[in-house]
Amino acid sequence: FTASLLLGTTLTISSNHWIMAWAGLEINTLAILPMISKSHHPRAIEAATKYFLTQATASALLLFSSMINAWQTGQWDITQLTNPTSCLILTSAIAMKLGLVPFHFWFPEVLQGTPLTTGLLLSTLMKFPPITLLYMTSPSLNPTVLTSMAILSTALGGWMGLNQTQIRKILAFSSISHLGWMTIIISYNPKLTLLNFYLYALMTTATFLTLHSTKASKLSTLMTTWTKAPTLNAALLLTLLSLAGLPPLTGFLPKWLIIQELTKQDMA
């Protein structure tokens, strides 16, 4: 399954043709489903079903948008997306794949029902192909739609995360919030989106792996882990603060650069 995941991701990020990109996304979805449901717990099965339905719908929309574009323009090249209807449908499809507001409902639920290692894959590796497609098509997409989605995602991600006690749900809302930051800048400076994604993936990997080794899943259990591994817990504190974007830490860098770029564009 790991080999299929890598194959699907590589196929999508290196493809120039819409059908190849779609095939890569499908391979990815089918490869991660057994990983989500391997514990055979009802929550895990429910998470796998929710994930499958969402991703299948998003893939169908993606194929539909590329077909409309091919029908109108006669080409299947990813970078040549010119039809406005196609652009709108593609934006919805990618937002659904990533879990951007208003298509975010599935992500916290799915993440809550999966083991931590699979949750890590869902938060990082599975977001990479859709972000690559967003990067390649960003010049043709409507900046107003993207900006609205991004602002809503950032606000809702931060706001909904306040009310959670489950660590995986908090991390899911953190992911939605970070995706908002990535989406708002993609029309103006796509390289910053990639920088933000790489740093986010790095910090999230550190968080998930620490939680996996301390076996913490709720905030109440996290409070008592410092007795088991004090050093690891101190590192986790710093990683979480970095993920929140606190100034002297790494997570602040992409936010600072994004705000700077938005100010140059007279957006902020």
Side-chain angles (χ1 to χ4, degrees):
F1 293 130
T2 313
S4 298
L5 269 181
L6 291 171
L7 170 73
T9 306
T10 313
L11 200 62
T12 303
I13 64 176
S14 58
S15 61
N16 210 7
H17 193 286
W18 275 116
I19 298 289
M20 289 290 277
W22 171 79
L25 290 169
E26 286 296 311
I27 292 169
N28 252 1
T29 303
L30 292 174
I32 199 130
L33 284 173
M35 290 177 160
I36 298 173
S37 56
K38 72 169 180 247
S39 64
H40 298 298
H41 189 273
R43 282 302 296 265
I45 306 296
E46 186 192 344
T49 312
K50 282 179 180 170
Y51 185 76
F52 172 71
L53 291 172
T54 316
Q55 298 297 316
T57 312
S59 293
L61 279 174
L62 184 116
L63 199 57
F64 183 49
S65 99
S66 54
M67 278 168 72
I68 290 175
N69 191 59
W71 190 27
Q72 295 288 335
T73 62
Q75 53 192 351
W76 286 93
D77 196 335
I78 290 181
T79 50
Q80 303 295 321
L81 194 77
T82 48
N83 187 288
T85 318
S86 291
C87 291
L88 208 60
I89 298 172
L90 181 83
T91 310
S92 310
I94 290 180
M96 205 180 278
K97 280 255 170 222
L98 290 169
L100 277 169
V101 174
F103 308 104
H104 65 287
F105 302 104
W106 64 272
F107 191 54
E109 294 293 321
V110 169
L111 210 63
Q112 185 55 35
T114 60
L116 278 167
T117 39
T118 315
L120 169 61
L121 285 176
L122 281 174
S123 300
T124 55
L125 189 70
M126 300 303 285
K127 298 280 167 90
F128 192 39
I131 281 193
T132 312
L133 289 176
L134 197 60
Y135 180 85
M136 288 196 279
T137 54
S138 60
S140 353
L141 301 179
N142 185 337
T144 318
V145 174
L146 287 175
T147 306
S148 317
M149 278 178 154
I151 291 169
L152 282 169
S153 298
T154 312
L156 199 125
W159 187 46
M160 295 285 281
L162 292 174
N163 201 22
Q164 305 296 331
T165 54
Q166 298 284 347
I167 293 169
R168 274 169 295 186
K169 276 198 173 172
I170 294 174
L171 287 169
F173 284 115
S174 150
S175 177
I176 293 168
S177 184
H178 275 86
L179 283 166
W181 281 93
M182 290 175 218
T183 313
I184 201 163
I185 201 66
I186 195 130
S187 312
Y188 309 107
N189 193 341
K191 285 192 173 67
L192 272 185
T193 299
L194 288 187
L195 172 76
N196 196 340
F197 178 74
Y198 295 145
L199 289 176
Y200 163 73
L202 196 71
M203 295 180 293
T204 306
T205 307
T207 310
F208 268 100
L209 292 177
T210 310
L211 292 170
H212 181 67
S213 64
T214 53
K215 308 243 180 316
S217 61
K218 289 193 190 73
L219 284 179
S220 51
T221 47
L222 197 61
M223 288 173 194
T224 54
T225 50
W226 68 272
T227 49
K228 284 189 258 177
T231 325
L232 198 60
N233 226 46
L236 178 65
L237 170 72
L238 285 173
T239 314
L240 287 173
L241 288 175
S242 181
L243 206 53
L246 215 68
L249 300 159
T250 319
F252 176 61
L253 175 73
K255 292 186 176 181
W256 182 26
L257 292 174
I258 286 171
I259 290 170
Q260 192 182 12
E261 186 64 35
L262 286 176
T263 316
K264 280 183 197 164
Q265 303 287 345
D266 288 337
M267 290 276 291

